[in-house]
Amino acid sequence: MRRVWLIAAATLRESLQHRSFALLLLAALAFVAGTLFLRQFNFGSSELKFVADLGFGMLSLGAALLAIAMMTQVFFDECERRTLHLLLARGVSRSEFLLGKLAGVALLLGLYALMLLACLWPVLWARETALLALMPDAFDRGSGLNFAGVMIAAYASWLKACVLAAAVLWLATLAENRVFAMGCGLLLLIIFHSAAVWAAYGSNGGWPVWLLHGLGYLLPDFGAFDLTPAAFAGDGGFVVRAVRLTLYAVLYGAIFIGLGVLQLRRREI
Amino acid sequence: MSTEPAVAVELADVTKDYSVGLRGVRLRALDRVNLRIAPGEVCVLLGPNGSGKSTLLKLLAGLQAPSAGCCRVEGVDAESARARGLIGYMPESPAFPVGMTVGALLRHYAELSGLDESAAQRCTAAVLETVGLLNRVAVKVGTLSKGLTQRLALAQALVHEPKVLLLDEPTAGVDPRGAEEMLALIRKLQALGRTIVLSTHQLEQAAALGGRVVLMQAGRVIFSGNWPDFAGEGESACFRTEPLSPAMRDELTTWLAARGHTLRAAGGAWPTLQARYLERLDEATGKGRSP
C-alpha cells in the first residue's frame, strides 16, 4: 500500500500543476458564484432549487471532464516519458501502478469537489436566508436546504467521477494514444448516463433491444449518483445511501481496475 | 566460501516476438539469443536501430516476458520480485516530472524501491555525490540540461544500490563532453564492481570501457567477444608508411601475394572501429564490402 500511496501523492502533485485543472476549477467557481445573479429574474422560492441544480450540475460535469482529461494525461505521461519503465523495473506491480494513479486522480477530484462545495454552500445558504427574509413561507416544512443532503449529493458526484476515472484508466491501457482514450471516455460518460434508460427497455424485440437491455444492467448507472434532490429532502437515511453508493462505486472501480491490470500485462511497453 | 554466482546475467535461448497491428502479425525482436555475463563485467551491446538491444535490456529489467527461453539475473528469474532489487534500469532518454526537485525525485524512486524514509534519504545523498549532482539537490528537474538529465536517470537506476546496471543508450543526445562525463561515471561504477550491460552507438567511447562487446543484428547476436577481437586486431596487421603511388601499391600487393598474404585494405587512415562495425554487419547480411 505504501507504493500505491507514493504514486498517488506524486500523481496528485503533478496534476495540481496542470493548467487544465486550474482553468476548469476557476471556470466552475465563477459559474457557481455567478448563480447569485439569478436573483435578478425573481424566480421566487424555486430559485434555491435552480441554484442547487446549476451548482451540482457544474460539480458533476466538471468532475467528469477532469476525470477523463486527468486520468488520460497522467497515464500517457508515464508511458511517453518512460517513467512507467522506471516504476515497473523497481518492482512496482501493474495493479499498484494503476491503483496509485486512480487514487491520485480521485484525490484531485475530491479537492475539486470540496472547493466547489465551499463556494456553493455559502451561495445556497445566502440565497435561502435572503428568500426566507422576503418570503417567510417560501419553503414548506422539510423543503429547505439540508446540510447533510448537500454533502451526500457532492459525495455522490465525486464517487461518480471516480468510477468514470477508473473506466477511463482501463480505456487508456487499451488505447494507443491519449486522444482516442479521451474520446472514448466522453462516449463512456454518455453511455453510463444512459444505462438506466437501456435497462428500462422491454426485453421483447430483436437482438439489438436484448443487447441494450442487458448492457443497461451490466454497465454502471450514473443516474443513481444524482442525489441533488437529497440536498432539500429532510427524510434522513443519508448514511445508508452513502454506504450503498460507495459499495456500488467500489464494485465498478474494482472491475475496471482489474480489467486495466489484465490489459496492461498484455501491453508491450 | 563465496556465495557470488558465477554468472550475473544470463539469457538462454531467448526469443521475443511482438504482435503488431489488429491482425496480430508477429515481429521477431530477438531470435534465440544466448548470453552469459560474469559479475563485475561490462558488456556493451552494439547494433543498428531495431536490432533488439533495447528489447534485450527490457527483458532483463523484467518489463517484458520472453516468448521463449529464460532470462536470469544473479541466478533468479528476471521477472521475479527478487530480481527487481538486484537491477537498476535506465531507459533511453527518459523524461521526469518537471516540477519535482532532483532530491525529491530520487527519494521518491528510492522509496518506491522499498527503502524506508531514512534509508532513502541516505541513499539519495550518496548517489547524488556519485553522479556529481549534490549541488543541484534543490534544483527543479525541468531546468536541467540534457546531459544532467541523463546523469539524473543514471542516479535513479543506482539509488537502491543494485548489483546489475542496465543502461539503454546512456549517452544518447548528449554533447561530446557530457558523453565523456557519463562514460567516466560508468567507469567509476565498473571499478566499484558493478555488472553493467549497456547499449550505445558511440563505438570509440564504448571501446574505452573495455570488457565485452556484443554485436546484434535483426534480433541475433552476430559477434560476442572482447574489443581487440571486435576490431580485428588478431585478424590483420596495420602498417603506416608515407603515401604510396598506385603502382607501388600494386607491387606491394603482388609481393604479399607471393608470400601467401592478402592486402585487405589500403587507405590514408587507420581502419576505424566504425569501419569494422559496418564490415561485420555486412558480413552477417552477406553483402560484403569491396576493399
Side-chain angles (χ1 to χ4, degrees):
Chain A
M1 276 312 281
R2 185 163 171 254
R3 281 173 167 161
V4 172
W5 169 242
L6 282 168
I7 295 170
T11 304
L12 176 65
R13 221 174 12 239
E14 216 180 315
S15 306
L16 284 172
Q17 289 164 358
H18 275 291
R19 276 192 201 142
S20 47
F21 172 69
L23 282 175
L24 197 63
L25 182 65
L26 282 176
L29 289 174
F31 186 82
V32 171
T35 55
L36 279 172
F37 292 101
L38 286 173
R39 76 177 76 161
Q40 311 288 334
F41 297 100
N42 196 15
F43 287 127
S45 62
S46 58
E47 183 193 322
L48 198 62
K49 178 82 173 58
F50 198 44
V51 172
D53 279 343
L54 284 175
F56 282 113
M58 200 60 209
L59 197 159
S60 177
L61 180 70
L65 292 179
L66 258 186
I68 294 169
M70 283 299 167
M71 203 70 258
T72 314
Q73 189 104 357
V74 297
F75 179 82
F76 281 98
D77 277 356
E78 293 279 4
C79 294
E80 288 163 13
R81 288 191 314 221
R82 298 197 178 101
T83 38
L84 173 60
H85 295 56
L86 304 181
L87 299 180
L88 299 181
R90 52 190 5 106
V92 173
S93 68
R94 280 150 174 88
S95 53
E96 284 173 328
F97 169 71
L98 292 183
L99 275 174
K101 286 284 149 196
L102 179 62
V105 171
L107 287 173
L108 183 84
L109 294 170
L111 197 68
Y112 171 83
L114 277 177
M115 290 179 88
L116 221 60
L117 199 61
C119 181
L120 181 63
W121 177 253
V123 169
L124 287 172
W125 181 81
R127 289 315 299 146
E128 188 184 42
T129 311
L131 286 168
L132 276 173
L134 282 172
M135 300 170 273
D137 300 326
F139 304 107
D140 298 336
R141 199 174 161 219
S143 68
L145 265 181
N146 183 308
F147 183 70
V150 171
M151 291 300 285
I152 196 178
Y155 175 67
S157 289
W158 173 73
L159 277 180
K160 183 176 84 172
C162 289
V163 173
L164 182 64
V168 171
L169 188 55
W170 165 55
L171 276 177
T173 61
L174 284 162
E176 287 297 315
N177 62 65
R178 59 182 80 202
V179 177
F180 179 78
M182 275 192 203
C184 290
L186 285 170
L187 201 63
L188 274 191
L189 178 64
I190 298 165
I191 290 171
F192 291 169
H193 269 289
S194 321
V197 180
W198 294 354
Y201 268 4
S203 52
N204 299 329
W207 67 266
V209 178
W210 267 100
L211 189 69
L212 279 182
H213 187 67
L215 277 176
Y217 280 110
L218 207 63
L219 298 173
D221 170 19
F222 274 8
F225 291 94
D226 180 17
L227 295 186
T228 312
F232 295 93
D235 58 351
F238 296 126
V239 176
V240 177
R241 281 191 210 182
V243 170
R244 242 189 242 159
L245 265 186
T246 306
L247 290 175
Y248 187 70
V250 167
L251 172 73
Y252 276 104
I255 290 171
F256 288 128
I257 288 292
L259 289 171
V261 171
L262 288 177
Q263 181 54 33
L264 194 56
R265 278 198 192 129
R266 287 162 48 92
R267 190 182 171 116
E268 300 291 359
I269 52 168
Chain B
M1 198 175 145
S2 170
T3 54
E4 188 92 338
V7 180
V9 172
E10 183 181 13
L11 286 100
D13 268 328
V14 170
T15 295
K16 176 67 186 172
D17 291 328
Y18 288 115
S19 139
V20 183
L22 288 174
R23 291 188 180 185
V25 177
R26 295 260 154 199
L27 182 75
R28 183 147 290 187
L30 288 179
D31 193 2
R32 285 165 291 150
V33 171
N34 288 288
L35 192 63
R36 287 161 73 90
I37 300 166
E41 191 176 6
V42 173
C43 177
V44 179
L45 302 176
L46 299 178
N49 294 331
S51 59
K53 305 184 298 293
S54 294
T55 302
L56 192 151
L57 290 173
K58 281 181 187 172
L59 292 181
L60 287 174
L63 298 175
Q64 294 177 356
S67 308
C70 67
C71 307
R72 289 191 202 93
V73 176
E74 298 274 328
V76 294
D77 188 81
E79 281 187 276
S80 69
R82 235 186 95 204
R84 306 275 61 78
L86 298 170
I87 64 118
Y89 175 64
M90 174 182 168
E92 184 189 346
S93 304
F96 298 104
V98 291
M100 278 179 106
T101 64
V102 168
L105 185 85
L106 288 178
R107 269 196 305 279
H108 175 65
Y109 283 123
E111 288 183 42
L112 281 172
S113 298
L115 302 181
D116 61 40
E117 263 180 63
S118 61
Q121 190 79 33
R122 183 177 45 77
C123 289
T124 298
V127 82
L128 280 170
E129 189 165 8
T130 306
V131 301
L133 287 176
L134 203 53
N135 57 344
R136 287 187 166 84
V137 67
V139 167
K140 290 261 169 76
V141 172
T143 64
L144 295 178
S145 65
K146 173 79 180 173
L148 292 179
T149 305
Q150 288 291 86
R151 270 204 249 175
L152 178 62
L154 179 63
Q156 67 73 33
L158 283 168
V159 77
H160 55 294
E161 298 174 341
K163 287 186 172 180
V164 177
L165 275 175
L166 308 171
L167 314 176
D168 197 353
E169 301 201 22
T171 54
V174 181
D175 63 53
R177 184 176 292 272
E180 191 45 58
E181 284 169 359
M182 177 62 85
L183 289 164
L185 267 174
I186 294 170
R187 274 195 289 273
K188 197 161 129 187
L189 296 168
Q190 183 186 0
L192 291 171
R194 296 256 163 81
T195 307
I196 301 171
V197 186
L198 69 99
S199 71
T200 186
H201 293 293
Q202 315 277 337
L203 300 180
E204 305 289 341
Q205 288 167 328
L209 290 172
R212 171 109 68 100
V213 55
V214 170
L215 180 60
M216 299 183 70
Q217 190 173 43
R220 291 183 180 204
V221 172
I222 57 171
F223 175 88
S224 176
N226 56 26
W227 281 98
D229 286 346
F230 179 75
E233 285 172 16
E235 299 165 15
S236 59
C238 300
F239 300 93
R240 179 166 273 181
T241 74
E242 67 279 8
L244 297 175
S245 66
M248 283 183 78
R249 194 181 293 178
D250 289 345
E251 202 175 323
L252 181 61
T253 308
T254 314
W255 187 86
L256 283 168
R259 283 153 186 82
H261 298 291
T262 314
L263 182 67
R264 287 186 186 164
W270 294 90
T272 58
L273 272 175
Q274 188 168 326
R276 289 298 298 147
Y277 166 84
L278 293 173
E279 260 176 45
R280 286 191 184 280
L281 289 180
D282 287 344
E283 278 165 20
T285 47
K287 276 186 196 170
R289 279 164 72 86
S290 52

